[in-house]
Amino acid sequence: MRPCSQDACAGLLLGLILTGVAPVNGAEPSAQPVLTRVEQIRTLSLAEAAKGYPVHLKGVITYILPQAYMGFFADRTGGVYFLVQPTDRFNVVSGDEVELDSKVAAGISSPALAEPRIQKLDHTQLPPGAPVEMQQLAGGTFDAQRVEIEAVVRSADPDGGQFGGLNLYSIRLGVGDRVVRFHAPNVPGGWNRLIDSTVRVSGVLGSSA
């Protein structure tokens, strides 16, 4: 993904469960814990994420675009991205409050959610973007989070159908020798009139392999 517009004990116990160990006093082995906060997901290693822990979350859709195989979700503890297919039809948009049931998967560089089931509850304002400097975007700390950056518009071109043929523009922003790209609809007067202008933009940070 690209920039748009980033229980140790439980893991240890699971690692100690050996095949063939009989339940004590007839008790069944413990099921995988259900994760209910994004912060629990973000602290998992990719190896732990691959175990597919079940997830039940309540929060806000911060961005969704099945044509690009991605969506983003946030609760009060952080943000995470979820994997979708172009054929998925979720009746939700950015700003919708939802319940999301899923399972954890190993994403590109951080845990992600797979096979989401989403139920819309209400609609609200998107959470504000965290003000960040350009150099902070590459560290992974802000992956899947809403951020706000101030930079100079270097170029603006139609995305060429990269995002499912939607009417989006690919914008390159720069500060010094650092450049970030985001995708956004056109603006009044066109993006080209803003080239070489300093702008402030908010969006969800993604990363690509």
Side-chain angles (χ1 to χ4, degrees), residues 187-201:
V187 294
W191 276 105
N192 285 330
R193 73 177 180 83
L194 295 176
I195 290 177
D196 295 330
S197 299
T198 299
V199 298
R200 184 180 295 114
V201 299

Side-chain angles (χ1 to χ4, degrees), residues 88-106:
D88 290 338
R89 292 293 179 263
F90 297 109
N91 187 29
V92 293
V93 297
S94 298
D96 281 348
E97 293 182 337
V98 301
E99 285 190 355
L100 189 152
D101 292 283
S102 185
K103 64 180 181 181
V104 184

